[in-house]
Amino acid sequence: MADLEYVRVEWDGDLAVVTVDRQEKLNALNAEVVREIGTVFEELRTDDDVRGVILTGAGDKAFVAGADIGELATMNSVSGVQVSRDGQDVFRAIERFPKPVLAAVGGYALGGGCELALACHMRLASEGARFGLPEVGLGIIPGYGGTIRLARLVGLGRAIELTLTGDMVKADRALDIGLVSAVVPQENLLDEAKAFLRKVTKNGPVAVRMALESIYRGLDTATGEALDYESSLFGLLASTDDMKEGMQAFLEKRKPDFKGS
Ligand code: COA
């Protein structure tokens, strides 16, 4: 793995745990942190030993408390576009990551931190987690995809409410509105995240990848075209060893042993 100052990667079997570690600033995203997250996901993308990724923040106070306000304060209208684009590119790469990515959110997930969690495929929160998009209170808007992804996840009305008020949402409300899949005690967050993600990674890796591909493509495409694409992927999967193994295992009343091919 490349030289990293703010991001750690650990492995647990075929899961990679990526930790943003800048605790003195509540893991806030300066340009270097964003760059390192991008580097890590780029390396993990082509690593065949990785079947799923957990993204989390160091310590129990914050997942990520937002983009670095000290850095943002110095931007002008030209560099501002670039800051937004750089973050969007990295977050988009996470969203389009070919293996499942789960955000394990303990503590604050604010601004860019909330947007980072939104770019992941799934989210798990600790009881003390807090989500919010406080940008308008700083005179800006969410610039890492938050104005698009929050509405897709929790619906237009709630997204507008949260974006315009900048209110923080506690974990139980985040669960109620579908922002997270489950809420667990802080001390179990990582173990629960691993168990949760393994419910996905025990399935056929190519099928999981194609399911993500179809779901996200469907968001950006007219229904007819999206359905055609789904059918193509469905047909493509019929040519995989994983499909043969999955169905054979069912018929033989045993667990499948997927090879990802
Ligand atoms: N950017 C830069 N620094 C940040 C930061 C951010 N988004 N969030 C927290 N920090 C820094 C604080 O400045 C402080 O640094 P210091 O000790 O050098 O002064 C340190 O992290 C600890 O934060 P602090 O504010 O003292 O903790 P707290 O428990 O009192 O409050 C928050 C926690 C999350 C409520 C508060 O830090 C906060 O509001 N952060 C900004 C959240 C935000 O607006 N994010 C969106 C940015 S677009």
Side-chain angles (χ1 to χ4, degrees):
M1 196 56 68
D3 252 4
L4 302 167
E5 189 180 351
Y6 297 119
V7 180
R8 282 188 276 120
V9 185
E10 282 133 345
W11 277 263
D12 186 339
D14 52 16
L15 302 185
V17 180
V18 176
T19 306
V20 178
D21 191 351
R22 194 186 173 217
Q23 287 188 63
E24 72 284 3
K25 296 288 180 190
L26 302 185
N27 306 325
L29 303 173
N30 62 17
E32 178 59 17
V33 180
V34 172
R35 196 191 61 74
E36 289 186 15
I37 294 171
T39 301
V40 163
F41 273 89
E42 183 53 34
E43 292 198 20
L44 294 177
R45 198 170 64 82
T46 50
D47 186 337
D48 291 339
D49 293 334
V50 177
R51 282 215 177 164
V53 178
I54 292 169
L55 181 57
T56 194
D60 53 14
K61 204 167 169 197
F63 171 69
V64 165
D68 189 302
I69 298 172
E71 264 189 19
L72 291 184
T74 65
M75 70 184 171
N76 59 35
S77 54
V78 175
S79 63
V81 172
Q82 197 56 48
V83 165
S84 171
R85 284 272 169 208
D86 289 347
Q88 284 179 355
D89 287 350
V90 169
F91 287 21
R92 180 78 166 149
I94 294 173
E95 186 173 68
R96 301 311 310 266
F97 198 70
K99 309 162 209 195
V101 182
L102 173 73
V105 179
Y108 295 110
L110 302 176
C114 185
E115 294 176 285
L116 183 58
L118 289 169
C120 297
H121 304 134
M122 295 164 286
R123 285 146 295 279
L124 210 64
S126 73
E127 287 160 351
R130 299 281 182 277
F131 295 82
L133 293 175
E135 282 90 344
V136 289
L138 297 163
I140 54 173
I141 62 170
Y144 293 165
T147 61
I148 291 102
R149 293 195 179 100
L150 185 61
R152 284 180 170 172
L153 192 62
V154 305
L156 187 61
R158 286 174 180 134
I160 289 178
E161 172 206 328
L162 293 175
T163 308
L164 299 194
T165 61
D167 280 353
M168 274 193 228
V169 169
K170 290 185 180 170
D172 53 355
R173 180 150 191 247
L175 182 63
D176 278 351
I177 65 177
L179 186 46
V180 301
S181 296
V183 179
V184 300
Q186 175 71 32
E187 60 273 21
N188 301 343
L189 180 62
L190 212 50
D191 285 343
E192 294 277 359
K194 288 175 185 173
F196 195 94
L197 192 52
R198 288 208 163 94
K199 288 197 289 178
V200 178
T201 57
K202 73 175 178 15
N203 297 316
V206 189
V208 167
R209 176 179 177 171
M210 298 295 172
L212 286 170
E213 177 78 25
S214 190
I215 288 167
Y216 283 104
R217 176 73 78 95
L219 287 177
D220 292 333
T221 318
T223 306
E225 207 178 309
L227 289 170
D228 287 347
Y229 191 62
E230 185 191 61
S231 301
S232 304
L233 296 180
F234 188 82
L236 190 68
L237 285 164
S239 69
T240 61
D241 292 337
D242 279 1
M243 186 198 95
K244 293 183 191 71
E245 169 62 11
M247 297 196 181
Q248 199 62 34
F250 176 82
L251 296 172
E252 291 171 6
K253 301 188 188 307
R254 62 174 172 81
K255 286 200 169 136
D257 179 18
F258 292 117
K259 304 288 187 214
S261 57

